[in-house]
Amino acid sequence: MTVYTVPTSVEVQPIVRAAGVHKSFGDKHILTGVDLEVDRGEVVVLVGPSGAGKTTFLRTLNRLESIDSGEIEVNGQRIGQRANPRGRLVELSPRDLAQQRADIGFVFQHFNLFPHMTVLENIWHAPVHVKHERKADAVGYARELLVRVGLADKADARPRSLSGGQQQRVAIARALAMRPALMLFDEPTSALDPEMVGEVLAVMRDLADAGMTMIVVSHEMGFTREVADRVIVMDDGRIIESGEPDQVFTAPRHERTRQFLSKVL
Amino acid sequence: MTFDWSYFWQSLLTPSPQFLNGLALTIIISVVAMALALVLGLFIALMGRSRFIPFRLFASLYIWVIRGTPLLVQLVIIYTGFAAAGLFRFEDVDLFGALIKGAVQAAIVGLMLNESAYISEIVRSGLESVDRGQNEAALSLGMTPLGAMRRIIVPQAIRVMVPPLGNSFNGLMKSTSILSIIGVAEMFQIGSTMSSSTFKVFEIYIVVALYYLLLTTVWTFVQTAIENALNARAGLPRAEPVLKRLFGFRSRRHPAVTAPVLQPVDAA
């Protein structure tokens, strides 16, 4: 049994479509033309050496990072931009952008739980204040999610009293509470002590089994091999290789992939 | 040394109605000026963070000028200077049956302007002390930038801002003593009038000093209560006890914002 409700859709178009995405910070060219399509229900893991642009690319998908050129669509909507009547691209209003983001869950490396709220309030806060759900419903769902991530007894605790692994599981529950169509994970286990990595990966595996569309930046090769439908290898701001984990890990086509894998496997 | 103990005790324990009026005026001016300065200071801080360049320019110019000139000079310019130049004169007004003297209005305006520059800096550093990840988390959950500010950033920043704001108010109450220069009948002014008519200079000013001390001490208790209330709401331990902070050194001119106290604990 699962309590995640993954929106079912008859649409066959990919849920994420990125084309020719470029992004620079100052004179540093971080993304040099990224193209990616992700289907509904797919679990995609982005790997690659640090500085390859994985995190930056992930952050462009819900426009925590703007892009210099290219195009990103999630759920058939261009993220953060719209065409004005003259056909020019203009920035979306903050309100419209917020609405787009509400459908995209994001899990941060450093959790970013709200320290001035209890664990339970962290989870129901956005559904009530952003989606205007009835509080009783939102609290009920928040409790279900806490059960699901194995922290039912921590509902009234403060985030800072939890371990890193527990905080990250709460952060996942907080993102799920918005019933997102897509979940993005930015190195969700990188800030954790080794003994806490497993509990977070277990929750993510569970989520993948439930059919959630997930894009994960991760260095956890075991998890990737087991859970990913597709591995994307990034290097120097672009995708250099993509395929099923077994194929990429055992028979990489690209020399850079081989070099990278020899260091992490 | 001559010290008239009986006059001292009499002035301290049974102050004249005149002196009590001065004390009341000191309190009223401080509280009103602080309340207005909080609003104005917040406004200036928000202008300083605006994407609109003229706003940012105005905010930094304002802070530069106000913090770079003495309060005393500002007061004299506002009250006496403007009137002398025929620009603006503070007239006595009748507010709900209470007569508000022009000098008192000028005092409140002057203190408000002066204090707001310091407050805007406290607000700015308070907002900046909240980890950027908090804003990103809020945005990723579909909050608008304004909603994130209101629900996530400000509640955390307030806890960081209260101690320097409290120090600022403490300083403001003492600054009211220079209002005598524009003829406001606050506590210090009453004290100097009394001293020139009785020649009990030492006794009078010791009493005046003790009353200022009483004001700031009472405020220390209030501030501690506010901090404790905020801490309880945020699930933090209680603030340091009043007795300890009373005998610690605190400075108003360099409101040191404490390190962000509400950061998420990284698992390290």
Side-chain angles (χ1 to χ4, degrees):
Chain A
M1 187 210 81
T2 174
V3 297
Y4 313 129
T5 47
V6 177
T8 49
S9 170
V10 290
E11 297 168 61
V12 286
Q13 60 171 347
I15 188 164
V16 174
R17 208 175 62 76
V21 174
H22 283 258
K23 169 78 183 176
S24 298
F25 291 114
D27 53 3
K28 263 189 100 181
H29 211 160
I30 303 293
L31 298 179
T32 54
V34 181
D35 304 286
L36 178 68
E37 289 193 353
V38 176
D39 291 327
R40 283 171 204 281
E42 209 181 357
V43 177
V44 171
V45 178
L46 297 178
V47 301
S50 59
K54 309 178 296 282
T55 289
T56 305
F57 176 63
L58 194 75
R59 289 164 57 87
T60 63
L61 296 180
N62 73 345
R63 212 169 172 83
L64 282 179
E65 221 64 83
S66 63
I67 59 178
D68 299 336
S69 64
E71 175 174 358
I72 294 174
E73 276 182 18
V74 176
N75 248 337
Q77 288 184 359
R78 195 185 256 273
I79 291 295
Q81 298 172 315
R82 64 181 171 81
N84 71 4
R86 288 213 223 102
R88 276 261 189 76
L89 276 184
V90 292
E91 293 278 308
L92 275 188
S93 72
R95 181 165 295 277
D96 290 342
L97 177 57
Q99 225 151 47
Q100 292 183 334
R101 284 178 175 144
D103 283 337
I104 306 171
F106 200 102
V107 176
F108 297 85
Q109 183 177 355
H110 293 286
F111 334 132
N112 296 342
L113 293 179
F114 304 133
H116 56 304
M117 301 177 187
T118 64
V119 162
L120 196 66
E121 197 181 348
N122 261 278
I123 302 173
W124 63 251
H125 187 90
V128 169
H129 292 293
V130 175
K131 287 177 86 180
H132 306 291
E133 286 180 20
R134 278 181 42 214
K135 188 172 164 190
D137 297 345
V139 171
Y141 189 48
R143 287 196 187 278
E144 278 180 62
L145 287 167
L146 270 183
V147 171
R148 200 71 196 102
V149 300
L151 292 170
D153 55 329
K154 299 292 186 190
D156 299 320
R158 294 286 173 168
R160 79 172 55 77
S161 70
L162 304 184
S163 73
Q166 291 171 331
Q167 289 191 52
Q168 193 61 297
R169 285 187 278 156
V170 173
I172 294 172
R174 178 178 69 174
L176 289 173
M178 293 295 285
R179 303 174 201 264
L182 164 72
M183 286 282 286
L184 307 176
F185 295 81
D186 182 16
E187 305 201 25
T189 58
S190 297
L192 299 179
D193 287 343
E195 73 267 27
M196 292 168 184
V197 170
E199 63 193 56
V200 172
L201 293 183
V203 168
M204 291 170 62
R205 187 175 295 127
D206 200 29
L207 194 53
D209 290 344
M212 177 61 80
T213 311
M214 295 162 61
I215 304 178
V216 186
V217 172
S218 181
H219 298 294
E220 298 293 335
M221 293 304 155
F223 169 84
T224 303
R225 177 165 268 179
E226 195 186 329
V227 177
D229 297 313
R230 189 150 53 111
V231 180
I232 307 280
V233 186
M234 284 185 73
D235 189 37
D236 271 342
R238 58 163 59 90
I239 292 170
I240 58 169
E241 187 153 354
S242 157
E244 287 183 14
D246 276 343
Q247 180 260 307
V248 172
F249 286 161
T250 53
R253 292 195 198 96
H254 203 286
E255 176 55 30
R256 295 282 299 180
T257 310
R258 224 177 310 244
Q259 284 172 10
F260 168 69
L261 290 174
S262 71
K263 285 179 199 137
V264 294
L265 281 182
Chain B
M1 186 186 90
T2 54
F3 193 85
D4 188 339
W5 281 100
S6 75
Y7 183 80
F8 168 76
W9 287 116
Q10 187 203 328
S11 309
L12 184 69
L13 300 175
T14 56
S16 63
Q18 216 187 354
F19 188 83
L20 287 177
N21 282 342
L23 176 66
L25 194 57
T26 292
I27 297 172
I28 290 169
I29 289 177
S30 303
V31 171
V32 173
M34 184 70 184
L36 294 174
L38 277 171
V39 177
L40 185 60
L42 182 69
F43 202 65
I44 300 288
L46 290 178
M47 284 178 95
R49 293 167 62 95
S50 165
R51 275 192 299 183
F52 191 49
I53 291 173
F55 280 2
R56 284 212 304 273
L57 220 60
F58 175 82
S60 28
L61 200 72
Y62 181 85
I63 293 168
W64 177 56
V65 171
I66 298 281
R67 291 206 309 180
T69 52
L71 172 60
L72 185 56
V73 178
Q74 292 165 8
L75 282 169
V76 174
I77 289 176
I78 288 171
Y79 186 58
T80 325
F82 279 11
L87 281 171
F88 183 78
R89 185 181 297 277
F90 284 93
E91 306 285 0
D92 300 357
V93 293
D94 198 332
L95 192 72
F96 308 119
L99 182 76
I100 317 278
K101 285 227 167 77
V104 172
Q105 299 164 39
I108 289 174
V109 169
L111 286 171
M112 169 191 77
L113 292 176
N114 184 269
E115 196 64 18
S116 66
Y118 292 91
I119 287 177
S120 77
E121 286 291 275
I122 293 172
V123 170
R124 182 186 59 77
S125 56
L127 293 176
E128 279 171 7
S129 77
V130 179
D131 184 55
R132 206 166 51 101
Q134 291 290 309
N135 190 44
E136 291 187 346
L139 295 181
S140 79
L141 289 166
M143 292 186 210
T144 60
L146 214 67
M149 178 64 83
R150 190 161 65 94
R151 301 186 178 285
I152 305 301
I153 310 297
V154 168
Q156 296 180 56
I158 280 180
R159 177 60 192 85
V160 183
M161 283 167 358
V162 164
L165 284 178
N167 296 344
S168 213
F169 182 58
N170 180 309
L172 173 68
M173 284 193 291
K174 291 175 293 185
S175 301
T176 56
S177 59
I178 69 169
L179 296 176
S180 56
I181 204 79
I182 57 169
V184 175
E186 43 67 55
M187 189 161 62
F188 180 82
Q189 159 97 330
I190 303 288
S192 47
T193 313
M194 285 163 70
S195 79
S196 52
S197 60
T198 60
F199 299 110
K200 309 277 188 201
V201 178
F202 195 37
E203 293 84 344
I204 291 280
Y205 283 120
I206 295 288
V207 170
V208 169
L210 286 173
Y211 271 95
Y212 278 114
L213 190 60
L214 176 71
L215 283 184
T216 53
T217 306
V218 168
W219 170 246
T220 306
F221 279 90
V222 174
Q223 186 186 330
T224 308
I226 294 174
E227 285 174 32
N228 278 331
L230 289 172
N231 283 3
R233 227 183 46 181
L236 286 167
R238 293 177 68 80
E240 62 178 358
V242 170
L243 281 179
K244 188 175 166 196
R245 66 170 57 191
L246 272 180
F247 301 108
F249 291 102
R250 333 200 95 215
S251 145
R252 157 176 149 78
R253 288 299 155 193
H254 306 284
V257 170
T258 49
V261 286
L262 289 171
Q263 295 310 299
V265 182
D266 285 351

